[in-house]
């Protein structure tokens, strides 16, 4: 079989990049700091997880070794493993540390410029933008108009939103305009319509994404975001690996928010699921029927949205351990010729102040029945991953990136 999977552990950085100080991220290390907290007993839960981070399968695939190579320090509390995959780390060349830039670059298209962002002032959005949004979407006004954590702002303003019918608009350090609204009181379809209008308007400010953030609940204690999130994203600035594979007759299956990140470009089929474990189930189910020249591209969003941004070290550790336990199920399904890649799109160190992404290296773990354990070293661009998969699918070389030439297992 000639199939491939990309498993993006959204935000699992493994050490600060050389340019991290320019982003305020000097010393960031998402995985390293989580492992350190676990080893020191700071992530113990009464009646739940305790002790060092337990990720033996990821370490067997080279995650701990990649983190050591990236950061120069051992991953705390981890036993040594014989590595069975081609492992290394990649350095981002895109100018920002946002989700689309990271994904596009790993698919062969680095972003050579910075996206627009909104200032940290209150209000943060241009008056002209908000006035036009209110007019076009026929809104009674908006709430928020500030930088905020998505969970915090719905707890703070959710009740007022229900009472007034005004959607909650907020942003972050990323190039994003986010709109939260109650699925029942405001309506999911209406939220999506408002978000589409907003995306048309924010293009003037070179904003990458408008994210519709529906939530449910009756009060601050019960408000929670739902799985019906929708990202309205600027299309990639050039054809990606996905476009080239689709045009060559291959199949590209988006699992999770991948289709949104690529604005639907190069996507053959979309599968949604509510959380990491449901995403893993959906991936396995679809992989079982995948034919030659199929790429499954999966984003495990909970690592970022539930734990990284919320600075939840314990939750992040538990999510990593749960993911690790599922990996043998995937490996058992892989056949000769299949390749899987575990990586990330940026960091989001839960031990850092604030709630924003962190500028970090990401792991590059290629594995499959034919791949021998080996160190593939530092990769100068995330685009090396896309170039490697282009070679795997016998596509013409992409404009960016250098393919990994791994050693193969002997028959």
């Amino acid at each position: 079989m000639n199939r491939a999977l990309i498993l993006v552990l959204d935000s699992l950085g493994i050490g600060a990049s050389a340019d991290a100080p320019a982003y305020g991220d000097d010393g960031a290390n998402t995985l390293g700091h989580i492992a350190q907290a676990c080893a020191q007993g700071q992530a113990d839960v009464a009646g739940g997880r305790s002790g060092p981070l337990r990720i033996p399968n990821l370490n067997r695939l080279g995650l701990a070794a990649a983190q050591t190579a990236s950061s120069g320090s051992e991953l705390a509390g981890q036993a040594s493993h014989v590595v069975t995959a081609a492992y290394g780390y990649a350095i981002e060349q895109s100018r920002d540390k946002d989700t689309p830039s990271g994904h596009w670059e790993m698919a062969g298209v680095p972003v050579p410029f910075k996206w627009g962002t909104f200032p940290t002032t209150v209000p943060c959005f241009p008056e002209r933008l908000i006035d036009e949004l209110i007019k076009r979407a026929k809104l009674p006004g908006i709430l928020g108009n500030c930088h905020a954590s998505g969970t915090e702002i719905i707890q703070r303003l959710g009740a007022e939103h229900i009472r007034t019918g005004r959607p909650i608009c907020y942003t972050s350090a990323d190039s994003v305009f986010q709109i939260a609204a109650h699925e029942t009181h405001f309506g999911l379809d209406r939220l999506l319509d408002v978000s589409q209008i907003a995306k048309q308007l924010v293009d003037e400010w070179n904003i990458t994404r408008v994210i519709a953030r529906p939530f449910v609940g009756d009060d601050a204690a019960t408000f929670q975001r739902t799985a019906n999130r929708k990202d309205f994203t600027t299309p990639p600035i050039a054809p990606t690996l996905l476009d080239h594979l689709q045009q060559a007759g291959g199949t590209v299956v988006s699992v999770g928010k991948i289709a949104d990140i690529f604005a639907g470009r190069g996507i053959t089929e979309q599968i949604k699921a509510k959380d990491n474990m449901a995403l893993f189930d959906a991936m396995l189910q679809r992989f079982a029927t995948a034919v030659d020249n199929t790429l499954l591209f999966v984003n495990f969003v909970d690592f970022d949205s539930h734990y990284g941004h919320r600075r939840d070290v314990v939750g992040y550790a538990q999510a990593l351990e749960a993911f690790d336990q599922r990996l043998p199920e995937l490996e058992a399904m892989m056949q000769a010729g299949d390749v899987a890649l575990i990586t990330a799109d940026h960091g989001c160190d839960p031990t850092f102040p604030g709630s924003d992404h962190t500028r970090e290296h990401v792991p590059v773990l290629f594995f499959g029945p034919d791949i021998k354990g080996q160190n593939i070293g530092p990769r100068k661009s995330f685009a090396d991953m896309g170039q490697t998969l282009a070679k795997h699918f016998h596509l013409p070389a992409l404009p960016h990136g250098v393919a990994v030439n791994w050693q193969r297992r002997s028959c």
Side-chain angles (χ1 to χ4, degrees):
M1 300 290 276
N2 195 42
R3 305 175 298 181
L5 308 97
I6 304 175
L7 288 70
V8 180
L9 279 60
D10 198 316
S11 83
L12 189 67
I14 57 171
S17 301
D19 59 1
Y23 297 80
D25 296 330
D26 191 20
N29 190 331
T30 300
L31 176 63
H33 288 149
I34 292 168
Q36 184 178 56
C38 292
Q40 295 174 348
Q42 298 170 0
D44 291 355
V45 179
R49 78 154 317 280
S50 63
L53 185 65
R54 293 179 176 85
I55 50 170
N57 294 305
L58 283 165
N59 287 342
R60 175 173 49 80
L61 296 175
L63 183 59
Q67 192 271 341
T68 298
S70 166
S71 68
S73 60
E74 298 288 334
L75 193 61
Q78 304 304 298
S80 60
H81 285 78
V82 175
V83 177
T84 60
Y87 73 91
Y89 66 91
I91 304 164
E92 186 166 15
Q93 296 304 313
S94 297
R95 296 286 304 281
D96 280 329
K97 51 182 179 177
D98 60 291
T99 294
S101 294
H103 282 76
W104 298 355
E105 184 170 335
M106 74 176 71
V109 180
V111 180
F113 55 82
K114 279 187 169 289
W115 296 105
T117 56
F118 295 110
T120 57
T121 54
V122 179
C124 67
F125 299 125
E127 184 176 358
R128 179 163 57 87
L129 168 60
I130 298 305
D131 287 346
E132 192 64 20
L133 177 62
I134 290 170
K135 177 183 175 182
R136 290 197 196 182
K138 298 180 173 59
L139 298 171
I142 68 163
L143 301 174
N145 206 338
C146 60
H147 282 240
S149 158
T151 51
E152 177 275 330
I153 203 167
I154 64 173
Q155 290 174 342
R156 176 163 55 89
L157 297 177
E160 186 178 355
H161 156 69
I162 292 172
R163 186 176 68 253
T164 64
R166 298 181 178 187
I168 303 167
C169 300
Y170 62 102
T171 189
S172 70
D174 286 343
S175 180
V176 65
F177 186 102
Q178 305 194 66
I179 308 175
H182 198 283
E183 281 198 3
T184 303
H185 295 282
F186 191 86
L188 179 59
D189 289 343
R190 187 181 180 204
L191 171 59
L192 298 179
D193 288 343
V194 172
S195 298
Q196 282 188 307
I197 293 169
K199 183 63 181 81
Q200 296 168 7
L201 296 174
V202 300
D203 283 348
E204 179 180 342
W205 285 269
N206 198 28
I207 300 300
T208 322
R209 285 184 296 168
V210 170
I211 306 179
R213 294 282 197 178
F215 66 95
V216 294
D218 299 320
D219 52 37
T222 58
F223 289 147
Q224 59 179 343
R225 298 193 296 197
T226 76
N228 291 319
R229 160 186 172 157
K230 172 72 175 175
D231 294 35
F232 297 88
T233 308
T234 300
I237 59 176
T240 70
L241 168 71
L242 283 60
D243 296 304
H244 293 294
L245 180 57
Q246 188 184 57
Q247 290 166 8
T251 299
V252 180
V253 181
S254 159
V255 183
K257 67 176 186 177
I258 293 297
D260 289 351
I261 293 169
F262 287 84
R265 285 257 303 265
I267 304 296
T268 308
E269 179 183 339
Q270 299 183 38
I271 301 172
K272 295 288 188 179
K274 66 178 182 178
D275 56 30
N276 277 0
M277 292 300 97
L279 288 162
F280 209 105
D281 289 338
M283 175 188 71
L284 293 181
Q285 183 177 3
R286 184 60 183 85
F287 187 53
T289 62
V291 297
D292 278 347
N293 294 316
T294 295
L295 170 66
L296 272 73
F297 202 161
V298 192
N299 177 283
F300 293 92
V301 66
D302 290 358
F303 293 113
D304 187 49
S305 63
H306 284 12
Y307 310 117
H309 284 299
R310 298 182 191 183
R311 298 308 191 235
D312 182 354
V313 175
V314 174
Y316 211 131
Q318 291 174 316
L320 282 170
E321 291 171 340
F323 178 88
D324 185 87
Q325 291 176 4
R326 302 292 306 272
L327 282 172
E329 297 176 56
L330 171 60
E331 292 177 283
M333 295 177 64
M334 296 179 73
Q335 303 177 29
D338 289 340
V339 170
L341 164 65
I342 292 176
T343 188
D345 50 345
H346 49 67
C348 198
D349 190 334
T351 70
F352 252 50
S355 60
D356 296 323
H357 295 157
T358 44
R359 182 76 166 183
E360 299 184 51
H361 301 149
V362 301
V364 179
L365 314 177
F366 282 106
F367 62 99
D370 304 327
I371 299 175
K372 184 178 179 180
Q374 61 210 270
N375 183 353
I376 59 174
R379 314 305 304 187
K380 294 182 179 180
S381 171
F382 290 9
D384 286 12
M385 295 182 265
Q387 191 72 269
T388 303
L389 292 176
K391 181 179 179 181
H392 173 72
F393 284 116
H394 305 294
L395 299 172
L398 304 179
H400 301 279
V402 177
V404 175
N405 294 311
W406 55 63
Q407 298 175 31
R408 295 186 175 273
R409 297 180 190 273
S410 41
C411 300

